[in-house]
Amino acid sequence: MERSKPMETPLAGNDKKEDATLGEVVEATVYRQLVGSLMYLVNTRPDMCYVVNQVSQAMVSPNKLYWKETKHVLRYLKGTTQFGLWYRPTNGVKFQGFTDANWAGSPFNKKSTLGGIFSIGLATVSWYNRKQ
């Protein structure tokens, strides 16, 4: 992977999703270790949450399509090393949280939308959004 060409998108858009149990199976242990490393990476790269969710759907029996997608993710990460959350030591670090709610805001089903974000210093450490 050292000599691989960096990618501009985290996932290839032209691959059709297929059942994770179909196709030629690859080494599951290596795949799980790689996806586990990507899960750890999400702590500083929240933009990768959706991508990691997609590739982790084949953890039980990964096939060549998911292996190819995961290698695509690594190539994307190679080209975006400057992205991410940076935690720097500062004086007077503050823990801040902001929340918002839109009660029964959906005109179709009257569901509420809730959201929040929490940060330590200048770095976001947690966020959420829910529709209920």
Side-chain angles (χ1 to χ4, degrees), residues 68-95:
K68 180 181 168 190
E69 282 188 3
T70 307
K71 288 192 342 186
H72 185 100
V73 171
L74 293 176
R75 291 172 62 193
Y76 171 75
L77 290 171
K78 180 180 181 179
T80 58
T81 56
Q82 73 279 10
F83 292 0
L85 301 177
W86 301 98
Y87 299 98
R88 296 186 179 103
T90 60
N91 294 333
V93 174
K94 288 180 14 179
F95 177 73

Side-chain angles (χ1 to χ4, degrees), residues 23 29-30 48 81 89 94 110 124:
T29 303
V30 175
M48 299 300 296
T81 56
K94 288 180 14 179
K110 302 297 185 202
T124 300

Side-chain angles (χ1 to χ4, degrees), residues 1-123:
M1 295 294 305
E2 289 180 17
R3 295 184 185 140
S4 63
K5 178 179 150 190
M7 301 304 284
E8 295 181 4
T9 60
L11 284 178
N14 58 356
D15 286 340
K16 294 186 179 189
K17 292 289 182 199
E18 64 181 48
D19 186 357
T21 60
L22 299 176
E24 186 179 340
V25 177
V26 297
E27 178 62 40
T29 303
V30 175
Y31 186 82
R32 289 180 193 132
Q33 289 173 341
L34 178 55
V35 173
S37 298
L38 292 174
M39 287 179 180
Y40 182 76
L41 177 74
V42 169
N43 291 320
T44 57
R45 292 287 303 265
D47 60 318
M48 299 300 296
C49 283
Y50 175 78
V51 174
V52 172
N53 173 278
Q54 292 298 302
V55 297
S56 67
Q57 292 181 20
M59 294 286 274
V60 174
S61 180
N63 62 25
K64 283 204 174 198
L65 174 67
Y66 281 90
W67 180 251
K68 180 181 168 190
E69 282 188 3
T70 307
K71 288 192 342 186
H72 185 100
V73 171
L74 293 176
R75 291 172 62 193
Y76 171 75
L77 290 171
K78 180 180 181 179
T80 58
T81 56
Q82 73 279 10
F83 292 0
L85 301 177
W86 301 98
Y87 299 98
R88 296 186 179 103
T90 60
N91 294 333
V93 174
K94 288 180 14 179
F95 177 73
Q96 292 182 317
F98 301 96
T99 62
D100 196 9
N102 185 358
W103 303 106
S106 175
F108 304 108
N109 55 18
K110 302 297 185 202
K111 288 190 175 185
S112 302
T113 304
L114 309 170
I117 186 168
F118 298 93
S119 61
I120 297 175
L122 299 174

